[in-house]
Amino acid sequence: MTAAAEGVVLVWNLDAIEPEHVADAATGAAFAGNQVLVTYVDAPAEWNKTPLVPIAGLTAVAAAPDGTHAIVVDGTHHARLMSATGDATDLGDDITAAAYLTDRRYLLGTSSELRLHDGDRETTLVRRGPVTWISVAGPHIAAGFGDG
């Protein structure tokens, strides 16, 4: 379990009584696999204390099933594919939601469509938006759209 309040991030192992203190002056936090991704106002984000690029708040974090990388959507709807080692690949702007199907296949929602990324290929699944959420269960995809 994770919690953030007044800029402090705490993580609990529910078998333990005391939380682990993870960060001060944080603006956001989310799990990326079994590790914590933390953002700050004036400092680079961190993934399990590994410095990343600066991230302007968190809108969405979708961790890959293997836990080695995640899609991070910031408060400006800019998305990056982040690695636990600190590497970042730009995925563009106008991203409203993200989810993984497998370690290499992922979905991105925008203000106007839902896209599937499979290695070097990209396929538009539906032209409708904005995509407000994406959920994956095995090979099944569910998505919500702001227009109803």
Side-chain angles (χ1 to χ4, degrees):
M1 181 168 76
T2 185
E6 296 181 16
V8 176
V9 177
L10 302 172
V11 175
W12 282 266
N13 171 340
L14 295 180
D15 293 331
I17 295 174
E18 294 294 319
E20 174 187 352
H21 184 266
V22 176
D24 287 314
T27 58
F31 278 108
N34 62 355
Q35 301 171 355
V36 178
L37 187 135
V38 181
T39 60
Y40 305 93
V41 170
D42 295 323
E46 295 178 340
W47 185 344
N48 203 37
K49 309 239 183 223
T50 300
L52 305 173
V53 297
I55 298 172
L58 291 175
T59 297
V61 175
D66 68 3
T68 63
H69 50 283
I71 297 168
V72 178
V73 183
D74 70 20
T76 67
H77 296 285
H78 184 84
R80 295 177 183 91
L81 179 62
M82 308 293 294
S83 138
T85 61
D87 296 330
T89 302
D90 185 49
L91 296 177
D93 295 317
D94 191 34
I95 307 300
T96 57
Y100 272 90
L101 287 163
T102 66
D103 291 331
R104 76 176 233 129
R105 299 175 75 205
Y106 60 88
L107 300 155
L108 292 178
T110 72
S111 63
S112 61
E113 63 187 10
L114 178 62
R115 299 189 309 245
L116 170 65
H117 295 261
D118 186 3
D120 295 331
R121 295 182 310 165
E122 180 177 295
T123 304
T124 298
L125 299 178
V126 63
R127 293 190 192 281
R128 183 175 174 186
V131 179
T132 56
W133 57 268
I134 305 169
S135 181
V136 174
H140 305 286
I141 302 165
F145 298 89
D147 65 354

